[in-house]
Amino acid sequence: MTISVEPVKPHIGGIVHVSPDHLLDDETIETVRRELETRGVLVFPQINVSDQLQLAFTDRLGERVNFTRQVPGSDADTPDVYKITLDRKLNSEPDYVLGTFFWHIDGITIDQPLPKATVLSARKLSASGGATEFANLYAAWDLLPEDEKREYEGLTVIHCVEAAVRPVHGHPSEERRARYKAMAAVMEQPLVWTHEDGRKSLLLGTHGDGIVGMPGPHGRALLTRLQQWAAQPDLVYTHKWREGDLVIWNNQGLMHRVVPYTDEGRVMHRTTIAGKERPGVPADPAHIERIYQTA
């Protein structure tokens, strides 16, 4: 065999041992697809891929998708490679990057099938901070008590970009709020997602702004409790990056966040694999209005 996977924790994480020359082999691709479903997040230590190899790897795993074309960080030469950085020469508006300091799922506020997986490579690292944490939302559902599972099934959550960046700016200006609304839709997503294969996962993140049918404070309190549950240590893998590392994770079953950093030199290159399942729909305006009422 040209590839092996070393488990990190019982519920999450795998270290992949394979050479760059075999990254695109059928055996590698089949192994990665299988292990993503069980391990959730896979690390290729210091494999040092180029943009071209990263894109080729992405394409071998599925159709690529770019849901951040309206966000600074892409260039004409490699438009499907998003550069995650606080360097204003590459990203003139880093709000979107600062929002990644908080738990989130990529693309959940876009009206399209939820991206299947995210591929991220470390090009330049920060002097401190910058580790990425991943939490297994399949395991978080599986481990819930049965009475709570019955309570949560059927609930619908409002997700929006404004909520995702609220911790960054607090109360943004109207001009900034208008930009957020132009980036993405306000979406209604199931709290408990039953996937096409029958498995279930929670859908959580800072972008969750309330639960349909509940007063705003009650819904947000429940979402906070569940986010804390999903982030319990046994369900979380923290990756401390080294330059050249490549990480891929199942975006449909994990939430993630980055440990805060201030170094503008940190640069990560992201590509994304399209999904086929669309769990949610654009939000009903009446539902949005209701979650901001406290009575």
Side-chain angles (χ1 to χ4, degrees):
M1 294 180 64
T2 58
I3 180 173
S4 63
V5 180
E6 174 189 349
V8 177
K9 289 184 172 183
H11 293 293
I12 190 169
I15 308 299
V16 181
H17 302 285
V18 66
S19 74
D21 292 341
H22 292 288
L23 187 62
L24 305 181
D25 290 359
D26 289 344
E27 181 186 21
T28 300
I29 299 304
E30 291 170 7
T31 301
V32 168
R33 285 179 177 149
R34 181 182 65 252
E35 296 294 331
L36 275 179
E37 298 303 319
T38 56
R39 301 276 92 219
V41 53
L42 302 175
V43 178
F44 297 75
Q46 294 187 296
I47 196 168
N48 290 299
V49 297
S50 63
D51 283 346
Q52 290 70 30
L53 183 54
Q54 183 169 335
L55 284 167
F57 179 60
T58 301
D59 291 343
R60 287 283 278 124
L61 288 164
E63 180 183 356
R64 78 172 80 159
V65 63
N66 186 335
F67 59 90
T68 52
R69 289 185 183 275
Q70 298 185 61
V71 180
S74 299
D75 59 48
D77 293 334
T78 52
D80 290 329
V81 176
Y82 176 64
K83 298 175 179 62
I84 300 175
T85 181
L86 297 177
D87 184 349
R88 289 185 176 272
K89 295 190 295 293
L90 299 175
N91 185 348
S92 59
E93 188 172 347
D95 296 12
Y96 188 81
V97 176
L98 294 171
T100 65
F101 291 178
F102 306 91
W103 289 114
H104 65 285
I105 296 171
D106 290 342
I108 200 168
T109 59
I110 307 296
D111 184 15
Q112 64 181 35
L114 193 65
K116 173 60 181 175
T118 302
V119 184
L120 194 64
S121 59
R123 305 308 176 93
K124 294 181 182 178
L125 300 182
S126 53
S128 62
T132 304
E133 299 173 314
F134 303 89
N136 188 333
L137 297 176
Y138 284 110
W141 165 258
D142 290 340
L143 295 173
L144 279 170
E146 291 302 319
D147 59 335
E148 291 191 41
K149 288 182 177 181
R150 290 191 293 271
E151 178 184 350
Y152 303 148
E153 284 205 273
L155 295 181
T156 302
V157 181
I158 301 291
H159 293 265
C160 61
V161 171
E162 185 176 344
V165 296
R166 191 177 294 135
V168 177
H169 287 292
H171 299 285
S173 66
E174 287 301 316
E175 184 271 338
R176 193 180 293 275
R177 290 181 65 185
R179 290 208 304 277
Y180 296 155
K181 290 178 180 178
M183 287 180 187
V186 179
M187 297 293 293
E188 293 186 15
Q189 307 279 8
L191 176 57
V192 182
W193 182 11
T194 301
H195 300 255
E196 289 183 354
D197 63 4
R199 298 174 71 199
K200 294 181 179 181
S201 68
L202 296 171
L203 281 177
L204 297 169
T206 309
H207 32 63
D209 208 20
I211 295 178
V212 175
M214 288 188 186
H218 296 70
R220 293 188 193 99
L222 175 56
L223 293 173
T224 297
R225 285 175 48 225
L226 287 174
Q227 194 167 278
Q228 292 170 338
W229 167 263
Q232 59 185 281
D234 285 349
L235 307 187
V236 172
Y237 166 65
T238 299
H239 183 62
K240 297 179 180 180
W241 294 91
R242 294 181 297 174
E243 283 194 20
D245 284 355
L246 178 77
V247 173
I248 180 172
W249 66 92
N250 183 343
N251 184 66
Q252 294 184 346
L254 274 67
M255 62 179 183
H256 63 286
R257 67 181 179 183
V258 65
V259 175
Y261 60 94
T262 58
D263 190 340
E264 292 189 359
R266 183 183 190 269
V267 180
M268 315 292 282
H269 285 198
R270 187 190 74 191
T271 54
T272 306
I273 299 164
K276 297 180 180 178
E277 299 180 58
R278 182 192 294 262
V281 296
D284 184 325
H287 293 165
I288 299 172
E289 182 180 0
R290 171 62 177 158
I291 68 169
Y292 293 110
Q293 298 174 357
T294 58

